[in-house]
Amino acid sequence: MSRPPVPLPAEHIPPGTAEWRTPNAERWLAAAPARWAHPLWTLPALVASLVWDIAEAPVAPCTSTAPCGTDWLGLGMAVVSLLTLYWVWRQPRLALAGLAATLTGFAVEGGFTSALGEPSALAFLMAVAFTTAGLIHRLAAAGRQRARALEAAGPVAQPLPAAARTFRRGRLSFVLAALLLGVAGFGCWQVQQVVDAYEERAAGATRLSGRVTALEQDDDIDIVTVEADGRTHRFETAYPEDFPVGSRADIVVDGDWAALVAEPYDAIGWELLAVAGSVAGLAFLANGVDGRRRSQRLRREPLPVLHVLVREGHDDGRTWVFAADDPEGLRPILHFHSLYAFEEEEEEEKEDEDGGDAAVVELDRITEILKGEDPPPPLREAVLYGVPHAGAEVAFVAFDDEDDVEVSVQCSVTAVKPVGPRSTGHGQRRHERENPQRPRDEIAADMTPSTGPRTWTAHGLSRAVGLGLLLVQGGGIWAALEDGPSWHWLWLVVGLPWLVTVVATALTWRITADRDGLWVTGAWRVRRVPWSVITSVRHSDDGIRIGRAEDSSVELSPTGWAWLERHLGREPHAARTVEELRALLLHPELRPLEEAPAGRQGMPVGPPLVVVSALWGVAVLLLL
């Protein structure tokens, strides 16, 4: 049986606080954004169409009358476009503004006219429309959730606890934003220095017109040779197609210094630094401003309160919120990351009283977490302050543990996110969530004793990951070998063994349970792990780890893509496998009665994959 929730004394629950019960919670979840509007679907469509449109857009040639210098407007649009892609995921309102600015630039460049005849431009407009519809839907859904949360809370409103009123958000974001925007400013200054240096030198130089006599490559760098005034000049060029042999090219010459008028200088490195610094800096600045604004709104006036249950995630530290009538913690409603809030005097007193003992206790807890030996966090009664909805800011009061004598106050530091869609019936009882903590007895109850061996193997998404990595492996071999013997071959020596291992594991990992233990099939061998030596079974980092007494653990990785499975509303296959293996470990009566025959033990495909890779390498060398 699971432990009952850690109770919250009545004196810490404001009078009239309503319980957030399952029916109201289900209505709140039903108002969550639809799956089609999730950035997981809209963002790839927008990115793909944007890349396609940029690749298909005609590039104006570099000429003496229109040289290829620094395009500040283009760099600004690049910053806006990249920020918009990020904001589609994190900041719907800012994303709408970014899309509006992007469409304005698209119209100025004649994009709406070209959309009538160019599929890439039309696809981009359709992706923008799809993304905009998704953003508007998400904002509307947040409004519906807000209304249903207010309905569940009723008329009672309470001011935030004193500790939460002193909690400040956004400081780290502002510091990082200042540093990154400083880097961006430095990059812009360096670009301008390059421009000024060229213009100053070119003003006193002699301008000549010459003939292009040769185009060649030197270590993948394109070189154009120009003869002018009886001398031969060689220049690096980014656009060799603009200088065909026999054409005329203008140059400026000042002693031993010379430059192409059409391509006067190369500041691409500093330009990229300016763009990267601006994108990252403005992203942190927007996050900091948004967090500070929502935090101030939370402190401004009395807030609705709800009586709920909370639990801290065992692996990622998220706070999961459950309905007050869900004492087993089976159906999570929402989640967010949070930090403790302390009054200034209280924080100083705590440091003086605890001293080094608190640090030692915390260090021991961190050590247990790293070893995987810490117990799962308890379910706790709590009072939630604020109006929960997608993107909201909230705070809550609860005991950390049943042994505590004082309640703690925690404030969210990431936006509230509703739990993804769940199936009904039996699947709903198994609830899907990012940090599953199903009771062991419930898992065992779902399993029936079997005579024959039980087998868990790679499923569709795991094999998809393996096939994707296999394509990367094949492309890497081609890229390393296409230029003949070179230092690039060292990448094969270093990276190929790792790639073969992960590809083989993702494609064909297998675990078979029989009477005496587990058969674990990885990339290179099948290992026998008796039940008597197994100490733990864990799922982490998209892998399965089986701990053994007085020996190193047996690991399989990758075994799928848990993040994507959860965002698709499915229970990760590898996590389900681990749950059932734990049930067999703790309930011997569920273990199979027979021993697994050789055909059920699995076969590693690492060695055959090495042979295939070698044959592919030989084929590449012969083709090239």
Side-chain angles (χ1 to χ4, degrees):
M1 295 293 292
S2 59
R3 292 183 295 173
V6 176
L8 185 65
E11 61 267 23
H12 295 290
I13 302 177
T17 299
E19 289 188 340
W20 201 7
R21 305 186 71 82
T22 297
N24 287 330
E26 292 293 345
R27 292 184 66 247
W28 185 88
L29 281 174
R35 186 179 298 180
W36 67 267
H38 194 283
L40 187 65
W41 304 112
T42 57
L43 195 56
L46 185 62
V47 171
S49 64
L50 181 61
V51 171
W52 186 19
D53 187 54
I54 292 174
E56 293 294 323
V59 179
C62 300
T63 64
S64 299
T65 55
C68 293
T70 298
D71 182 8
W72 292 109
L73 181 59
L75 292 178
M77 288 305 301
V79 170
V80 172
S81 298
L82 292 172
L83 276 173
T84 300
L85 296 177
Y86 169 72
W87 285 337
V88 167
W89 191 275
R90 291 289 305 271
Q91 305 278 1
R93 287 185 174 82
L94 290 178
L96 289 173
L99 286 176
T102 302
L103 286 178
T104 301
F106 187 74
V108 170
E109 294 294 330
F112 288 104
T113 302
S114 64
L116 299 176
E118 296 183 9
S120 60
L122 182 60
F124 174 67
L125 288 178
M126 293 176 63
V128 169
F130 178 52
T131 303
T132 302
L135 293 171
I136 294 173
H137 175 77
R138 287 162 59 188
L139 292 173
R144 290 193 298 270
Q145 285 188 318
R146 178 180 176 85
R148 294 185 181 181
L150 287 172
E151 181 183 342
V156 176
Q158 295 288 332
L160 273 178
R165 289 196 295 272
T166 62
F167 188 80
R168 294 293 181 270
R169 289 264 278 113
R171 293 176 180 173
L172 180 59
S173 293
F174 288 137
V175 172
L176 293 175
L179 292 175
L180 290 166
L181 290 176
V183 170
F186 177 73
C188 292
W189 178 74
Q190 287 292 343
V191 172
Q192 195 59 48
Q193 289 291 102
V194 172
V195 174
D196 293 343
Y198 165 76
E199 291 179 348
E200 182 179 353
R201 192 75 181 263
T206 302
R207 180 162 178 159
L208 301 173
S209 179
R211 186 173 64 88
V212 178
T213 59
L215 285 172
E216 56 188 23
Q217 279 194 335
D218 184 8
D219 290 336
D220 296 331
I221 298 175
D222 292 301
I223 305 294
V224 59
T225 302
V226 179
E227 287 189 2
D229 197 25
R231 295 178 60 185
T232 299
H233 304 274
R234 303 175 79 245
F235 306 97
E236 294 183 8
T237 176
Y239 304 99
E241 64 274 10
D242 293 339
F243 304 98
V245 175
S247 63
R248 306 296 296 182
D250 294 329
I251 63 173
V252 285
V253 180
D254 183 14
D256 294 333
W257 177 85
L260 285 167
V261 175
E263 288 187 50
Y265 51 83
D266 180 12
I268 185 65
W270 295 117
E271 291 171 355
L272 290 176
L273 179 65
V275 169
S278 298
V279 170
L282 290 174
F284 276 113
L285 179 62
N287 287 346
V289 171
D290 182 65
R292 181 63 59 86
R293 179 181 58 84
R294 287 191 281 115
S295 180
Q296 290 174 347
R297 185 186 305 162
L298 197 66
R299 300 192 303 267
R300 192 174 301 153
E301 55 190 13
L303 300 168
V305 287
L306 287 166
H307 187 192
V308 296
L309 300 176
V310 298
R311 173 189 280 145
E312 182 181 345
H314 196 210
D315 297 325
D316 58 11
R318 293 183 185 182
T319 298
W320 296 84
V321 176
F322 303 84
D325 58 348
D326 184 13
E328 298 290 333
L330 299 179
R331 294 173 293 276
I333 306 170
L334 57 90
H335 60 87
F336 51 86
H337 286 92
S338 61
L339 289 177
Y340 288 96
F342 301 101
E343 296 183 68
E344 295 182 2
E345 296 181 0
E346 177 185 341
E347 189 171 3
E348 293 175 0
E349 290 176 2
K350 184 178 180 187
E351 291 177 356
D352 293 340
E353 292 175 2
D354 292 348
D357 292 340
V360 172
V361 171
E362 187 65 21
L363 181 60
D364 291 341
R365 183 173 180 270
I366 293 173
T367 302
E368 290 178 348
I369 293 174
L370 293 176
K371 291 180 178 179
E373 299 172 352
D374 61 314
L379 197 64
R380 302 169 286 160
E381 288 187 4
V383 174
L384 191 69
Y385 288 80
V387 185
H389 60 272
E393 193 97 357
V394 295
F396 68 92
V397 174
F399 277 120
D400 286 340
D401 204 292
E402 56 190 2
D403 297 328
D404 286 345
V405 294
E406 294 185 1
V407 297
S408 64
V409 179
Q410 296 187 46
C411 297
S412 61
V413 292
T414 59
V416 166
K417 292 184 179 180
V419 171
R422 301 189 302 271
S423 56
T424 57
H426 188 63
Q428 181 175 355
R429 194 165 55 84
R430 289 178 179 166
H431 71 276
E432 299 168 4
R433 62 181 163 184
E434 197 153 331
N435 185 34
Q437 295 286 342
R438 290 207 304 154
R440 294 165 181 169
D441 292 340
E442 180 189 341
I443 301 168
D446 288 343
M447 301 176 65
T448 56
S450 65
T451 302
R454 293 177 180 267
T455 300
W456 300 265
T457 187
H459 62 309
L461 190 56
S462 179
R463 293 193 178 100
V465 170
L467 290 174
L469 292 173
L470 185 60
L471 293 177
V472 172
Q473 176 183 321
I477 293 174
W478 182 289
L481 299 180
E482 66 175 345
D483 294 328
S486 68
W487 65 270
H488 294 103
W489 288 23
L490 293 175
W491 290 110
L492 293 179
V493 177
V494 175
L496 195 56
W498 174 81
L499 264 177
V500 170
T501 300
V502 296
V503 167
T505 303
L507 288 174
T508 60
W509 67 267
R510 187 185 187 96
I511 300 176
T512 300
D514 64 10
R515 177 186 60 197
D516 300 319
L518 302 177
W519 296 95
V520 183
T521 303
W524 305 104
R525 58 176 175 156
V526 180
R527 283 171 285 192
R528 181 61 161 168
V529 187
W531 292 115
S532 59
V533 303
I534 299 177
T535 58
S536 63
V537 184
R538 294 177 63 85
H539 173 246
S540 62
D541 299 329
D542 290 318
I544 296 174
R545 177 178 299 176
I546 300 171
R548 296 186 293 183
E550 300 180 359
D551 202 348
S552 59
S553 60
V554 177
E555 297 186 39
L556 294 174
S557 181
T559 54
W561 192 357
W563 179 87
L564 181 58
E565 290 179 85
R566 292 186 181 107
H567 281 75
L568 292 176
R570 303 173 183 172
E571 184 177 12
H573 177 68
R576 178 63 183 172
T577 298
V578 166
E579 286 182 343
E580 294 183 353
L581 288 174
R582 284 176 181 160
L584 294 181
L585 179 64
L586 299 172
H587 298 269
E589 69 277 6
L590 296 176
R591 297 173 189 171
L593 303 177
E594 298 177 356
E595 187 174 352
R600 297 284 300 272
Q601 296 171 12
M603 182 185 74
V605 298
L609 195 56
V610 171
V611 176
V612 173
S613 301
L615 293 175
W616 172 243
V618 172
V620 170
L621 291 174
L622 292 176
L623 291 172
L624 297 175

